[in-house]
Amino acid sequence: MSEPRRDLLAVLLPVTRQLRRIEDDAAAAHGLTMWQYAILSATAARPGLNQGQVAGLLGYSKNRMIGDLDELERLRLLRRSPGPDRRANVLTATAAGIRRMQQVQADIHRDEDRLLAALPPGQRNALAAAADRLAGR
Amino acid sequence: MSEPRRDLLAVLLPVTRQLRRIEDDAAAAHGLTMWQYAILSATAARPGLNQGQVAGLLGYSKNRMIGDLDELERLRLLRRSPGPDRRANVLTATAAGIRRMQQVQADIHRDEDRLLAALPPGQRNALAAAADRLAGR
DNA sequence: TATTGTTATACTCTATAACTATA
DNA sequence: TATAGTTATAGAGTATAACAATA
């Protein structure tokens, strides 16, 4: 007999809760919030984006992002500069911002590895591949 | 060359956001919230649990759960009854509660199937299996 | 004294809608 | 008029601690 089917959300929520804690802790260890880290990460990976584009990319919201951007600029980790359309601010991570982001990311990947060690390597790749495929729609 | 490694949370968040909306909508279509559905589901699957145990199982909190339990009792979908330890309330889903829960669940599984149709079947199983394994710690 | 459920409170998060300056 | 960023505000969500009944 087969087990009753479990809601996928119920299966995924505990994992994402652990991952969320990993990112929160890693960011905090380097003086940032998770969202500030996420903003730096997106900005470094795809330079030239404006605020709205980064917000959309992260599934964040443009108004919530403003306080984070203020703080990141205050810390000299990121710059807002007027783009060709002078309504839109182009975001650029500074060298210090990229370094900081990489430090947080190294901690995150280290802790993810610890978590994922429970999985056989095939399943580990399958998890990321499946989630990646699903996220695309 | 290989792509830069992506944070697992960034990969999983978009999927869980979609799943969360699926559950919210399905529960709302039957007059419940997602958490009320989750409570009914856990209570039906493992009868005899008390409030704190259900809260722990769901990753919810005992005080937030109280309003939901009040509402579920008002709707005659669930009962609180004193257990052997008279401090603790044993939760029991009524027949109507189980039916309601199954209706919501059918909607959820239908919409999950629609979402998961994007995946090759092997990846689909791998996703659930991997998440399940990880959730256990 | 510790625990279960409850209540109260404060704090954070989130969503919505204006407002400005550009287009 | 429409859009990008900003600001203000209200509502939902969340965490914490205190309380009553029971162990």
Side-chain angles (χ1 to χ4, degrees):
Chain A
M1 58 176 268
S2 70
E3 292 199 1
R5 172 173 175 176
R6 297 179 60 194
D7 302 342
L8 193 51
L9 183 62
V11 178
L12 287 180
L13 265 188
V15 185
T16 56
R17 265 194 277 257
Q18 290 181 86
L19 291 168
R20 172 66 193 246
R21 165 172 291 189
I22 285 176
E23 297 221 354
D24 279 338
D25 290 351
H30 295 277
L32 299 175
T33 67
M34 186 205 71
W35 284 116
Q36 287 164 2
Y37 158 72
I39 292 166
L40 278 181
S41 177
T43 304
R46 312 177 63 168
L49 297 181
N50 64 34
Q51 301 187 192
Q53 290 169 326
V54 170
L57 210 63
L58 298 177
Y60 206 37
S61 91
K62 54 175 189 167
N63 23 0
R64 283 190 285 145
M65 201 166 66
I66 290 175
D68 297 316
L69 292 174
D70 291 345
E71 176 70 3
L72 288 171
E73 274 200 314
R74 199 186 63 77
L75 295 171
R76 307 269 188 269
L77 301 177
L78 179 141
R79 279 196 321 269
R80 284 187 259 222
S81 43
D85 178 343
R86 293 218 306 285
R87 291 174 303 183
N89 290 331
V90 168
L91 299 182
T92 312
T94 65
I98 292 174
R99 274 197 307 274
R100 187 79 69 95
M101 181 274 288
Q102 288 169 337
Q103 292 168 342
V104 176
Q105 196 172 52
D107 284 7
I108 290 172
H109 289 173
R110 181 199 60 209
D111 292 342
E112 280 185 359
D113 287 339
R114 202 169 293 163
L115 181 67
L116 293 169
L119 291 183
Q123 240 178 12
R124 178 173 166 164
N125 295 332
L127 174 66
D132 210 24
R133 178 82 79 101
L134 288 177
R137 23 205 80 225
Chain B
M1 59 176 265
S2 70
E3 291 200 1
R5 173 173 175 177
R6 297 178 60 195
D7 302 342
L8 193 51
L9 183 63
V11 178
L12 287 181
L13 265 188
V15 185
T16 56
R17 264 194 279 256
Q18 291 182 84
L19 291 169
R20 172 67 193 247
R21 164 172 291 190
I22 285 176
E23 297 221 354
D24 280 337
D25 291 351
H30 295 277
L32 299 176
T33 67
M34 187 205 70
W35 284 115
Q36 288 164 1
Y37 158 73
I39 291 166
L40 277 182
S41 178
T43 304
R46 310 177 64 168
L49 297 181
N50 65 32
Q51 301 186 192
Q53 290 169 325
V54 170
L57 210 63
L58 297 178
Y60 205 37
S61 89
K62 55 176 189 166
N63 20 358
R64 283 190 284 145
M65 201 167 66
I66 289 175
D68 297 315
L69 291 174
D70 290 345
E71 176 69 4
L72 288 171
E73 275 200 313
R74 198 186 63 77
L75 295 170
R76 307 270 187 266
L77 300 177
L78 178 141
R79 278 197 321 269
R80 284 187 260 221
S81 43
D85 177 345
R86 292 218 305 285
R87 289 173 305 185
N89 290 331
V90 168
L91 299 182
T92 312
T94 66
I98 292 174
R99 274 197 306 274
R100 187 78 68 95
M101 181 274 288
Q102 287 170 337
Q103 291 168 343
V104 177
Q105 194 171 53
D107 284 7
I108 290 172
H109 288 173
R110 181 200 60 208
D111 292 341
E112 280 184 0
D113 286 341
R114 202 169 293 164
L115 181 67
L116 292 168
L119 291 182
Q123 241 178 12
R124 179 173 168 164
N125 295 332
L127 174 67
D132 209 25
R133 178 83 77 100
L134 287 177
R137 29 203 78 226

